[in-house]
Amino acid sequence: MSAGRARSCAYPDSGTGATCSETDPKDSLLSGKRPAQGPAVTKKPKRPVSAKSRLKRVGKWALILGLVGALIGVGGFIVLYQAIDVPDPNKDFETQTTFVYYSDGKSQLGQFATQNRESIVLDEMPDTLKDAVVAAEDRTFRTNQGLDPKGIIRAAFSNAQGNDTQGASTITQQYVKILYLTQERTLSRKIKEAFISLKLQREISKDQILEGYLNTIYFGRGAYGVQAAAKAYFDVEAKDLNLQQSAVLASVLNDPNDLDPAQGKQAKRELKGRYSVVLGAMAEEGMVEPSQADKAARKLPPFPEIPEESQYGGQRGHVLTMVRDELIRLGYDEEEIEGGGLRVTTTFTRKVMDAAAQGVVAARPDGFSDKELHIGVATVEPGTGAVRGIFGGQDFLDSQLNWAVAGGQAGSTMKPAALVAAIEEGFSLKDTFEGNSPIVLPDGTDIENQGNESYGSEVSMITATENSINTAFIDMTLRMKDGPEKIVDAANRLGIPPGEPETRRAPGFPNSSPGLEPITGVALGNATVSPINLANAYATLANDGSAAEPYIIEKVVLASGETDYQHKVSDETAVDADVVSDVTYALEQVVQEGSGTAALELDWPVAGKTGTATNGEGEVSSAWFAGYTRQLSTAVMYVRGKGNEQLQGWLPSYFGGAFPAETWTAVMQGAMEGLPVEEFPEPAMLDGDAPGEDEEVVTPAPTTQAPPPTTQAPPPTTQAPPSQEPTTAEPTTQEPTTEAPTTEAPTTEAPTTEAPTTEVPPTETGSPTGGGTGAPAGNTGPFAAATPAAMRERFIW
C-alpha cells in the first residue's frame, strides 16, 4: 500500500476473498469532504419489504388514525353535549295557530287549531292509552336513552330497500321536536334533537316525558293532547277511554289526516289496519292478553257525531275545508296546518262571498228549505283563475257537502265546448243543422228537443245555441270527424277536468268530471261538473281563449315570517281568440233573445248558457245558468235532495233560464258593483272549410212521431212531462217572467194522451251519476258513437 493512502476491504458472507480498495486523503480534501475517522465501514444492501410487513404498517397507521378520529369524535360529542342545552319550551307554542285570510291578506276568514289542548297528569290517563302509544310509537321507550340506534339502523335499511318510509324517532325525540324545536327538516335540527333528547332523559323521568308527550302530540281534528283527542273522537274524558278507543288514538298518531274515520271509507279501512297492528304490538309486549287484543281487533269502536266548532258556521266551513284540502295538495301536512302557525292568504274576497250568499237568498223560491233544495255558486276571475267566491249550500254545521265542488250533471252548459270544436273544424255561425225533433239515429236511438219541438231542418248555429236545440247539436257532433273526441278535448282545454284525474295533484275543484267521455251526446251534458270548474271554463272564454288553472291559495307564510309558497299564474292560449269571439257572440244571443234573458237585468254585456239535465228515470234533476262578463265568470246550479232527484213538478219552474239565471243575476249584481263596463270583442264571423261541404252530408233522419212507450218506461204520473211546459226549454221568445212561480201553470197545457215515457229510449239504463259509454271499438263513420249504450246520457237540454 502506498504511503498516506487508506485501505478498506469488504468481506462477503460467502467466505470468498475480500475485496479491497485504497483511497487518498487528499482526494477528500480536494473534494471538500472531511475524511471519516476510524476504519471504513461498508453498508449491507437493503432487503425487499414483504407484503405482510406493509399490511402491518398500514394497520398500525389505520389504528392510530382511528384512535385519533375516535378521540376527535368523542371530543366533538363532548363539546356539542356541553354546548347544546335543553332550551325553554317554545314561548309561543300556545299561539301557533294557522290563520286564513281573504285576498287582502288582512281580513281574517278563519283559522285552524287554536291549540285545542287541556293538559292532564299521567295518573289521569288510562294504562291502556299509555301502553297503546308506547307499543305504537316506541317499544323501547322504557329502556332506551332517548335514542334508538337499532331503530335508526333498521329504518335506514328498510328505506334503502325501497320499502315504505320508516322513521326512527323515539317518543323522547318526538317530544323534543314538538316542545323545544321547530318542524324544519334540516340536519342541524336533527342533531339538536338527538343531543337534547339524550340530555332530557337524564334530567327528567320517563313518566314526565310520557306525560308531556301525551299532552302535546297532535291527534288530528284540531286536538292537541289526549284529553282534547278523547273528546274530539269519542266525546269522553281521557280517563274514561277503553282499550279499543285507546288503540284508535294511538293509531291515528301515525297519520292524523288519512287515518281519521271521518275522512271516508278508505280512511276507515286504513285505520282498521293500523288499529290491528297496534293491538298486536300490545299483545306481543305483554301489555294485554292476546285474547283481549284479538277480541278488540275484530272491529273499530263506534264514533259518535261530534258537533263542529262554531268558527265553521255558515259558508266559512265550506271555504276552510277547501283551503285545508288545497294545502294538503300543495304538500303541507296536517300538523303544519293545525299547529304550524301558517299565515294563508286566499283568493276569496269578502265582497264576492257576500254577493253569492245574498244573491242566493234573494232569488231562492219561497217555501223551499235549503235542506232539500241545494244551490251551488262559484265565481272565478278570468285571466288568473282565482276563485273569488262560492256558495256551497247549507250551513256547514248542518251539512258538510259543498255543492260548489260536488256539482251535478251540467246539461246544455256544456254546449259551448261543442261550439268551439265545430268552429275550429271549419263550421261558421251561419252554417245550418237539423233542428226537427225527434231525430232517429241509425241504431234506432231517438233524440228529442225540449218539449219535442221542431225548429226546421236548417237552423243556424246561433239559433241552435239560443234555443238549446238538442238535435242540432247532435247533428253538429256527428258531422265533425271524431266529433265527440273533439268536444271533450275542447272542454278540457277550456278548463273542465277530464273524466279521470291525470295525477293526484291535477288542478281543479275537483280535478275530475265523472262521465266526461267521447260519446255522441257529450255536448248535451251528461258529465258531472262542478260550478267552480264550469265557471273557470267560461272564464277562459271571457279571457279571449287564454286559460288559467283555478286556484284558491295565493300565499303561505311560515311562522318565522318567511314566504313558503306564492302562487304563480300560468295561463296559456287554449282557444284562438277569433274562435272565442264567435262563441261569445252566440252566447250573447242566448241572453239577448234566447233562454237566458233573465240575465239582462244585470245591465251589462253578458254571455251565458242555460242548462237542464235529467236522471236515469227521465226526471229533471239539475238546472243551471253559467255566464260571464269581461271581469267575472259565475256558474249557478240547482239540485234537490242527494243531487239527482226530480225538480220538475216540485219547483215552480225547473228551467235554467228561471231560478238559476235569476240567482246568477243577483249574485253578479253584487260582485260587479263598482267595476267599469267592458264590451266583448266583435265577432270574427269565421267561415272555414266545414266537413262535408264538398260531399253529401249524412244527417240523422227526422221523424214526426215519438216512439211508443215501452215496458222499461216508468209509470205515468200526474206531473207534466217536459213537453207540457208552455214553451220550450229555451225558446227564442221567452220573457224573463214567463216561468215565474206565480204565473207558471205547466199542467194546463198537458196533452192528455202523451205518455211521459216518450223521451226514454228503449234501451234506457241510465244511472243517477249520469255516466255513459263510448262507441264500440272499431266503429267508423258519422254514427260510430251513436249506440244505445252511448246515448244513455238521457235527454238533456
Side-chain angles (χ1 to χ4, degrees):
M1 181 178 67
S2 302
R5 296 180 69 85
R7 179 181 178 87
S8 62
C9 298
Y11 297 88
D13 294 337
S14 61
T16 58
T19 302
C20 300
S21 62
E22 293 182 354
T23 59
D24 190 342
K26 295 179 180 180
D27 295 338
S28 298
L29 293 174
L30 292 172
S31 64
K33 296 181 180 179
R34 181 177 181 179
Q37 299 295 323
V41 179
T42 302
K43 294 183 179 179
K44 293 183 179 181
K46 293 183 179 180
R47 294 180 180 180
V49 180
S50 65
K52 186 176 181 180
S53 298
R54 287 196 185 96
L55 288 174
K56 287 183 178 180
R57 185 176 298 174
V58 170
K60 180 177 70 175
W61 281 107
L63 179 60
I64 293 172
L65 291 175
L67 290 173
V68 172
L71 290 173
I72 293 173
V74 171
F77 179 89
I78 294 173
V79 170
L80 287 173
Y81 190 88
Q82 296 295 330
I84 298 176
D85 294 322
V86 177
D88 294 329
N90 293 325
K91 294 181 180 179
D92 54 355
F93 185 73
E94 295 289 329
T95 60
Q96 291 301 294
T97 300
T98 289
F99 292 95
V100 181
Y101 300 99
Y102 285 101
S103 62
D104 61 6
K106 299 177 181 178
S107 304
Q108 187 174 324
L109 196 159
Q111 62 188 38
F112 297 120
T114 56
Q115 293 293 309
N116 180 18
R117 183 196 327 281
E118 183 181 349
S119 296
I120 58 177
V121 297
L122 193 66
D123 289 340
E124 292 181 18
M125 303 177 193
D127 290 338
T128 54
L129 175 67
K130 292 179 281 190
D131 290 342
V133 170
V134 169
E137 295 296 312
D138 183 7
R139 293 197 197 188
T140 65
F141 170 71
R142 292 293 179 183
T143 59
N144 65 45
Q145 300 300 307
L147 300 177
D148 183 9
K150 291 182 179 179
I152 294 172
I153 295 172
R154 182 176 60 252
F157 273 101
S158 178
N159 298 340
Q161 292 171 356
N163 298 326
D164 290 342
T165 302
Q166 293 187 8
S169 294
T170 62
I171 283 177
T172 306
Q173 286 177 276
Q174 294 181 51
Y175 181 48
V176 166
K177 180 179 69 173
I178 296 168
L179 190 60
Y180 299 105
L181 301 176
T182 67
Q183 301 297 319
E184 63 180 347
R185 303 176 179 90
T186 62
L187 179 61
S188 61
R189 198 271 293 164
K190 290 296 291 183
I191 292 174
K192 287 182 181 179
E193 177 187 300
F195 280 95
I196 294 173
S197 298
L198 288 172
K199 279 195 168 185
L200 187 67
Q201 62 88 31
R202 293 177 180 273
E203 295 180 5
I204 62 177
S205 69
K206 289 287 187 180
D207 282 348
Q208 288 175 302
I209 292 174
L210 185 60
E211 178 180 306
Y213 175 80
L214 291 175
N215 277 317
T216 305
I217 195 68
Y218 179 64
F219 286 84
R221 298 193 179 185
Y224 286 80
V226 296
Q227 180 76 331
K231 294 179 179 179
Y233 283 87
F234 301 109
D235 200 22
V236 299
E237 300 286 327
K239 62 183 178 61
D240 297 323
L241 291 168
N242 59 33
L243 173 60
Q244 287 182 297
Q245 294 168 337
S246 297
V248 165
L249 294 184
S251 299
V252 299
L253 286 177
N254 185 257
D255 190 342
N257 181 58
D258 292 338
L259 295 180
D260 184 347
Q263 295 298 319
K265 293 181 179 179
Q266 180 63 29
K268 202 166 187 176
R269 282 194 293 268
E270 293 180 7
L271 172 62
K272 180 64 165 57
R274 176 67 178 170
Y275 168 79
S276 298
V277 170
V278 171
L279 287 168
M282 293 179 72
E284 291 175 7
E285 295 296 321
M287 298 170 175
V288 295
E289 293 296 328
S291 58
Q292 287 181 281
D294 291 341
K295 182 178 179 181
R298 292 174 187 170
K299 63 179 181 179
L300 292 168
F303 295 90
E305 291 187 9
I306 309 297
E308 294 284 345
E309 293 185 16
S310 60
Q311 69 158 330
Y312 282 82
Q315 295 301 302
R316 283 197 305 169
H318 295 301
V319 172
L320 290 175
T321 299
M322 289 178 65
V323 171
R324 179 196 297 274
D325 291 344
E326 184 66 1
L327 285 170
I328 291 173
R329 189 184 76 88
L330 292 174
Y332 296 91
D333 59 34
E334 278 282 335
E335 190 172 347
E336 291 172 309
I337 295 169
E338 292 287 349
L342 306 178
R343 301 295 185 267
V344 181
T345 301
T346 70
T347 61
F348 299 101
T349 70
R350 189 186 295 275
K351 174 185 176 183
V352 179
M353 286 292 297
D354 289 346
Q358 293 166 8
V360 166
V361 172
R364 176 193 295 277
D366 293 335
F368 289 85
S369 167
D370 61 5
K371 293 183 179 180
E372 188 69 12
L373 176 61
H374 307 301
I375 304 172
V377 178
T379 297
V380 175
E381 182 178 79
T384 66
V387 180
R388 294 305 186 189
I390 67 157
F391 184 85
Q394 281 180 268
D395 187 311
F396 183 81
L397 299 183
D398 297 326
S399 172
Q400 289 75 55
L401 184 56
N402 183 347
W403 291 101
V405 175
Q409 282 184 281
S412 290
T413 56
M414 285 291 292
K415 286 176 178 173
L419 296 178
V420 168
I423 296 174
E424 289 178 335
E425 191 76 357
F427 289 103
S428 74
L429 294 176
K430 297 179 181 179
D431 283 333
T432 60
F433 305 91
E434 178 60 62
N436 287 321
S437 177
I439 58 173
V440 181
L441 302 181
D443 65 354
T445 302
D446 297 305
I447 303 296
E448 292 183 357
N449 296 324
Q450 165 59 18
N452 201 25
E453 181 164 343
S454 292
Y455 294 84
S457 60
E458 295 185 353
V459 295
S460 71
M461 188 180 291
I462 292 177
T463 300
T465 305
E466 285 179 3
N467 297 284
S468 202
I469 302 174
N470 285 344
T471 57
F473 276 88
I474 292 295
D475 185 18
M476 188 186 303
T477 300
L478 296 176
R479 286 170 63 178
M480 288 187 280
K481 182 180 180 181
D482 300 323
E485 288 78 7
K486 286 184 169 66
I487 293 172
V488 170
D489 175 67
N492 294 157
R493 283 184 284 131
L494 288 172
I496 296 176
E500 296 290 339
E502 295 178 354
T503 65
R504 185 178 180 182
R505 294 191 175 186
F509 299 92
N511 59 9
S512 65
S513 305
L516 183 56
E517 302 172 356
I519 58 176
T520 304
V522 63
L524 306 188
N526 66 297
T528 298
V529 180
S530 74
I532 293 178
N533 289 335
L534 190 63
N536 187 56
Y538 278 46
T540 300
L541 298 174
N543 194 41
D544 301 325
S546 181
E549 296 178 356
Y551 73 103
I552 61 172
I553 293 180
E554 198 73 62
K555 181 172 64 173
V556 178
V557 177
L558 301 179
S560 63
E562 177 186 357
T563 298
D564 190 59
Y565 170 81
Q566 179 75 56
H567 178 80
K568 295 181 180 179
V569 174
S570 57
D571 59 341
E572 59 181 16
T573 300
V575 183
D576 182 78
D578 286 343
V579 173
V580 171
S581 70
D582 283 356
V583 173
T584 294
Y585 181 77
L587 296 178
E588 284 185 279
Q589 309 317 303
V590 173
V591 175
Q592 293 293 328
E593 302 179 16
S595 57
T597 53
L600 288 172
E601 292 295 319
L602 182 61
D603 195 23
W604 215 280
V606 173
K609 186 71 188 72
T610 56
T612 312
T614 59
N615 59 25
E617 301 299 324
E619 301 169 341
V620 176
S621 58
S622 66
W624 293 75
F625 185 82
Y628 54 93
T629 64
R630 292 289 279 178
Q631 294 102 323
L632 292 175
S633 173
T634 296
V636 175
M637 178 193 74
Y638 271 58
V639 293
R640 176 188 178 189
K642 295 181 179 180
N644 208 39
E645 299 176 26
Q646 184 167 340
L647 295 177
Q648 182 182 356
W650 181 69
L651 276 182
S653 177
Y654 60 87
F655 292 125
F659 292 115
E662 293 167 6
T663 302
W664 182 94
T665 303
V667 171
M668 288 291 278
Q669 284 173 335
M672 295 292 295
E673 185 178 359
L675 297 179
V677 174
E678 293 186 25
E679 299 289 342
F680 291 118
E682 291 295 319
M685 291 297 177
L686 299 175
D687 190 3
D689 296 326
E693 286 187 346
D694 298 326
E695 58 187 45
E696 182 179 357
V697 178
V698 180
T699 302
T703 65
T704 57
Q705 184 175 357
T710 70
T711 57
Q712 296 178 344
T717 67
T718 57
Q719 296 172 338
S723 59
Q724 294 172 322
E725 294 296 326
T727 65
T728 60
E730 290 92 0
T732 55
T733 57
Q734 178 183 358
E735 296 295 330
T737 58
T738 55
E739 295 179 4
T742 57
T743 60
E744 184 180 23
T747 58
T748 58
E749 299 181 10
T752 58
T753 59
E754 181 176 336
T757 59
T758 56
E759 295 182 348
V760 183
T763 56
E764 170 66 25
T765 57
S767 65
T769 58
T773 59
N779 284 11
T780 58
F783 302 103
T787 63
M791 288 312 302
R792 69 182 185 183
E793 61 268 18
R794 267 94 47 209
F795 300 107
I796 305 168
W797 54 91

